[in-house]
Amino acid sequence: METIKSVDIYELGSPGEKSSPWSSTILIVKLTSSNGNVGYGEAPTTFMTLPVKESMREVERVFKDQNYFNIEKNMREFYKHSFYLSRSMEATSALSAFEIASWDLIGKDLGTPVYNLLGGEYNSELRAYANGWYSDCLEPDDFVSRAKEYIKKGYTAFKFDPFRNNFDRIGNDGIKKAVDIVSAMRSELGENIDLLIECHGRFSTKYAIKVGQALDEFNPLFIEEPIHPEMELGLFDFKRYVNTPVALGERLLNKEDFARYISQGMVDIVQADLTNSKGILEAKKISAIVESFGGLMAFHNAFGPVQTAATLNVDYTLTNFLIQESFEDSWPDWKRNLFSGYRIENGHFKLSGKPGLGITADEKLMEKLIYDGMEEFNKNEPSWVVSGTYK
């Protein structure tokens, strides 16, 4: 029986992250097995780096010395001890990292990619949409000219937040500015480019409806988190008055949460995040629930390369895959070079086909990037927006 012999937790980072300031630090767990294999997992940060880091130490107490093939058993054991797991993103994030690393070990032990253990390859290439690309973009021309640079790289879908510093409410002037940006993107880029509208859960219901109705004419692929997440009942009214499909899920923590949303018709496109909703196996379960209600999957993927690799292994197997978020072409070099193995070419992801998650760590670079502390704080701009856009 192979077990988890040692656990190493790395906080890595470098100041000045513009594409995703919420991820200027990343948390990586390295599990070394009794046979010498190594598995990697990742936990999200988003203004909770240190709490998640400490929670990873709690997960270590349950997982260390256990058989990492026993995914269900180990997850259930932590569930038994973690009283607030169903409501604690810190706990689910820490747990997800260990679950992902366990799969990496399993794949390496068996000499096969993780996706072969989840149903096999259904999608050989995965269409990506660009995010993080619009740092410092404020005016319509800024968005259009930057998007055209990414079209040259092969992207055919763009997510962006056109709402500047409006929060909770938005007036006619704010709506007009957003309309001008989306209108310019549609008219300049054409109907064959998909536009994905990011709201970051910033609006109360009344104002979200106004925004959604104003943008319907531009035929977005979806509108993401239009309403404050704790006001989810407002989604019923939103969907009654807005035609654009609703996407959400990065703040939901388990399959039971997703089952409630999809079964009640509150969401069309599910954006579960493997790194905070209990990992790879839970993602397969969530996808099956969503599929049974006719929904599509577009996993949230806004942190680091281990998250991307884990997410792609699930994407490969899904019959209800829609599109995959990518920050890769907006990342700083340090994050892009941490792991190798998957690639993005002509706007599509491709895995390496190597065992486990299919990635290899640059451990020397990891050692150079060790960081201790919280993400940078900017009192004038929340960490959840792309830099230079909240003005």
Side-chain angles (χ1 to χ4, degrees), residues 76-142:
R76 199 69 176 179
E77 183 68 12
F78 187 78
Y79 172 66
K80 181 177 72 179
H81 290 282
S82 183
F83 192 72
Y84 296 103
L85 183 65
S86 66
R87 294 293 178 266
S88 170
M89 186 169 283
E90 291 83 358
T92 58
S93 298
L95 181 60
S96 299
F98 280 73
E99 196 269 1
I100 291 166
S102 296
W103 278 107
D104 196 20
L105 282 173
I106 292 168
K108 288 172 179 174
D109 279 7
L110 299 178
T112 190
V114 169
Y115 60 79
N116 278 343
L117 307 174
L118 303 173
E121 184 177 321
Y122 184 82
N123 306 298
S124 58
E125 287 192 349
L126 303 164
R127 185 187 179 206
Y129 69 81
N131 200 353
W133 57 275
Y134 58 99
S135 56
D136 297 317
C137 290
L138 294 171
E139 302 300 329
D141 287 347
D142 300 334

Side-chain angles (χ1 to χ4, degrees), residues 165-184:
N165 62 348
N166 293 283
F167 187 81
D168 191 45
R169 304 176 185 182
I170 185 169
N172 291 336
D173 182 60
I175 292 175
K176 182 181 183 302
K177 288 177 179 177
V179 166
D180 287 346
I181 291 168
V182 179
S183 175

Side-chain angles (χ1 to χ4, degrees), residues 21 47 72 82 94 110 118 121-122 137 146-147 196 213 215 221 248 259 274 312 316 357 371 390:
F47 216 57
E72 293 278 21
S82 183
L110 299 178
L118 303 173
E121 184 177 321
Y122 184 82
C137 290
R146 187 75 59 79
L196 293 61
Q213 289 177 327
L215 298 180
L221 183 65
L248 57 78
L274 269 69
L312 296 180
Y316 260 45
L357 296 178
Y371 191 84
Y390 196 84

Side-chain angles (χ1 to χ4, degrees), residues 272-287:
D273 187 317
L274 269 69
T275 62
N276 65 29
S277 58
K278 298 165 65 176
I280 287 172
L281 188 55
E282 191 84 349
K284 279 288 288 186
K285 295 177 182 180
I286 291 165
S287 300

Side-chain angles (χ1 to χ4, degrees), residues 151-328:
I151 289 174
K152 293 177 182 177
K153 299 178 182 181
Y155 288 98
T156 58
F158 296 87
K159 189 165 80 177
F160 57 101
D161 180 337
F163 303 112
R164 299 181 67 155
N165 62 348
N166 293 283
F167 187 81
D168 191 45
R169 304 176 185 182
I170 185 169
N172 291 336
D173 182 60
I175 292 175
K176 182 181 183 302
K177 288 177 179 177
V179 166
D180 287 346
I181 291 168
V182 179
S183 175
M185 289 281 286
R186 174 57 72 216
S187 62
E188 291 289 328
L189 305 183
E191 294 295 331
N192 292 328
I193 297 295
D194 278 315
L195 306 180
L196 293 61
I197 307 302
E198 169 71 271
C199 297
H200 283 119
R202 69 169 71 202
F203 296 122
S204 55
T205 303
K206 173 184 175 181
Y207 296 94
I209 291 171
K210 287 185 175 182
V211 164
Q213 289 177 327
L215 298 180
D216 263 346
E217 66 175 292
F218 305 109
N219 193 30
L221 183 65
F222 61 66
I223 186 166
E224 180 173 330
E225 286 195 311
I227 294 171
H228 294 311
E230 69 275 15
M231 296 181 176
E232 72 274 11
L233 296 181
L235 289 166
F236 293 116
D237 282 337
F238 183 87
K239 287 177 64 63
R240 186 176 297 119
Y241 295 111
V242 178
N243 293 323
T244 301
V246 170
L248 57 78
E250 67 190 82
R251 302 192 226 204
L252 302 183
L253 305 183
N254 51 62
K255 63 184 182 299
E256 292 81 7
D257 284 345
F258 286 100
R260 284 188 286 271
Y261 274 72
I262 193 72
S263 66
Q264 295 180 59
M266 290 190 281
V267 58
D268 304 292
I269 297 162
V270 168
Q271 299 173 299
D273 187 317
L274 269 69
T275 62
N276 65 29
S277 58
K278 298 165 65 176
I280 287 172
L281 188 55
E282 191 84 349
K284 279 288 288 186
K285 295 177 182 180
I286 291 165
S287 300
I289 292 168
V290 171
E291 184 178 26
S292 70
F293 286 90
L296 299 172
M297 297 301 299
F299 284 107
H300 182 251
N301 181 47
F303 298 102
V306 179
Q307 179 191 33
T308 298
T311 302
L312 296 180
N313 271 277
V314 177
D315 285 338
Y316 260 45
T317 72
L318 298 185
T319 55
N320 60 335
F321 169 80
L322 175 63
I323 197 167
Q324 182 56 61
E325 183 169 26
S326 172
F327 280 82
E328 269 72 6

